[in-house]
Amino acid sequence: MKYLCLVYLDEKRLNELPDEECVEFDAAIRNSGHCIASEALESVQTATTVRMRNGRLSVTDGPFAETKEQLAGFYMIEAKDLDEAMRLASEIPPARVGCIEVRPVRPIRETVLTAKRTGTNNSKGRT
């Protein structure tokens, strides 16, 4: 099963994590076959928030909300279950100074394809 591990931390604490340590972990989790994709993100100060409301585009510089911890990166992993996903997430170096949100990936493509094949509608209006 796929899980997205969202890495949150206070950007002021980034210097507590050597880039080399993060790159070594990334290489190890990729070599283990658990990592599908991973990236570090630029500072939240570089963010742009986009919204569409009533057909009108709204663009705001900066993050969606002011928070103590910001999204700093992600790992898309493959794990047999939530327990294994949490174990892998606990090894992500920023877990020591921030937190890792672990969320199962909803197989939307497979659900829609199956519904089309069987003539049922299982989408429930979610995106």
Side-chain angles (χ1 to χ4, degrees):
M1 182 167 193
K2 292 179 187 171
Y3 292 87
L4 184 61
C5 298
L6 299 167
V7 177
Y8 289 95
L9 56 87
D10 183 339
E11 287 186 340
K12 295 177 190 132
R13 300 195 68 186
L14 266 176
N15 60 352
E16 296 177 35
L17 297 165
D19 286 346
E20 294 80 9
E21 182 180 351
C22 295
V23 170
E24 286 173 13
F25 172 78
D26 187 71
I29 196 168
R30 285 174 182 272
N31 288 338
S32 75
H34 288 99
C35 186
I36 298 167
S38 60
E39 293 293 341
L41 300 176
E42 292 288 345
S43 167
V44 71
Q45 301 307 317
T46 66
T48 302
T49 301
V50 176
R51 294 179 182 84
M52 284 296 291
R53 299 292 187 270
N54 300 319
R56 298 190 73 195
L57 174 65
S58 169
V59 178
T60 307
D61 290 337
F64 174 72
E66 292 290 325
T67 61
K68 182 179 177 189
E69 294 181 326
Q70 295 82 32
L71 181 61
F74 71 90
Y75 287 86
M76 174 75 71
I77 63 170
E78 185 74 39
K80 66 182 177 190
D81 56 26
L82 181 58
D83 287 337
E84 183 179 38
M86 290 187 307
R87 182 187 60 76
L88 293 166
S90 73
E91 297 171 4
I92 297 173
R96 295 192 314 264
V97 296
C99 67
I100 313 298
E101 178 182 341
V102 179
R103 294 178 62 179
V105 172
R106 185 165 60 98
I108 188 170
R109 289 176 202 81
E110 294 86 349
T111 302
V112 169
L113 185 59
T114 300
K116 284 183 179 180
R117 278 194 222 132
T118 62
T120 61
N121 183 357
N122 294 337
S123 66
K124 300 177 184 131
R126 298 188 302 184
T127 57

